[in-house]
Amino acid sequence: MCSSVTLKFLWRLHLRGNVKSRKSVLRTVDVARGAGYSVQQVRDLERAGVLPPAARTESGYRVYAEEHLCAAFAYRAFAKGLGPVEARNLMRAAHRAPAADVLARLDAAHANLHAERQELALAKHAASLIAGEPVSDTRPSDSMSISELADALGIRPSTLRHWDAEGLVVPGRTGNARTYSPEAVRDARIVHQLRLAGYRIEPLRALLPRLRAGRRWEEVLTALAARDADLTTRSRALLDGAAALAGVLDQPR
């Protein structure tokens, strides 16, 4: 059984007379139109092993079937949910590996998304608390050394040195030793939570100066909400991909 979208497309072809039944052959252009690709992209996907090899007519034309359309739909969804590289690996396995191995890969993808959701929930809670911490009227004794801050965050001092080099969390100096003010400690805690939530260095580098200048810590929560929406989109893409993948795994192996 393939996805409902795939079956609707096949039914439209049937009504137009392009195919006589779900078992009838499909042209390259049929697969391209059904899955939202160009004809060349369909050929490229077959060459990459994302689609199973097409049969050929005596004159050399490719002959596709429902399983090819299912595979194209599955790859399109998985590329959105997992990224193109992992999606290609998953679809290649779907054509060659035992079904149990393919399903195990899919289970792992869902588990990874679940772990990201749990980390995001912690990051949202921590950011909301950190944003309200007062930093005025601080005392020099409130500052922390690099080892103290690393221990407090549960990270390595080398990570803090990397954040310093990237301009994310820049400490002061006492001689040659880094000294983190309460403001820098708060920045480090927010960077740590956002990194756990999957945010890359470059977006954080652009965000933090605006936060420091305007005390607009609500932007952190907005960024986390955007991450939440992205996870939802990826989860739905995995669901759509799994529905289409069923049509691939149901084929004789």
Side-chain angles (χ1 to χ4, degrees), residues 35 93 137 181 186 234:
D137 301 323
S181 67
R186 182 176 62 178
R234 289 166 56 199

Side-chain angles (χ1 to χ4, degrees), residues 177-224:
R178 291 175 171 83
T179 302
Y180 290 84
S181 67
E183 293 91 342
V185 169
R186 182 176 62 178
D187 284 357
R189 293 175 66 185
I190 289 177
V191 168
H192 180 51
Q193 293 297 335
L194 292 178
R195 289 289 288 158
L196 286 177
Y199 283 87
R200 295 176 291 108
I201 293 293
E202 186 174 346
L204 286 175
R205 190 189 297 119
L207 175 62
L208 283 173
R210 296 199 301 272
L211 297 178
R212 296 187 191 106
R215 298 298 184 198
R216 293 161 56 189
W217 296 103
E218 67 275 8
E219 290 192 24
V220 172
L221 301 180
T222 299
L224 289 170

Side-chain angles (χ1 to χ4, degrees), residues 85-192:
V85 173
E86 184 56 33
R88 282 196 297 271
N89 292 336
L90 179 58
M91 293 310 301
R92 288 168 181 158
H95 304 310
R96 303 168 186 170
D101 293 350
V102 180
L103 295 175
R105 283 173 175 258
L106 193 57
D107 289 344
H110 282 290
N112 289 338
L113 276 177
H114 178 64
E116 288 188 51
R117 284 191 182 280
Q118 290 182 312
E119 291 177 351
L120 179 60
L122 292 174
K124 289 166 70 174
H125 178 66
S128 64
L129 295 177
I130 294 169
E133 291 183 355
V135 295
S136 58
D137 301 323
T138 57
R139 300 165 297 179
S141 59
D142 294 326
S143 298
M144 301 178 73
S145 68
I146 187 171
S147 59
E148 290 172 334
L149 181 55
D151 287 342
L153 295 177
I155 60 177
R156 296 180 179 181
S158 59
T159 300
L160 288 171
R161 287 193 287 269
H162 177 60
W163 292 350
D164 183 5
E166 294 290 346
L168 294 177
V169 183
V170 181
R173 295 278 181 168
T174 302
N176 291 326
R178 291 175 171 83
T179 302
Y180 290 84
S181 67
E183 293 91 342
V185 169
R186 182 176 62 178
D187 284 357
R189 293 175 66 185
I190 289 177
V191 168
H192 180 51

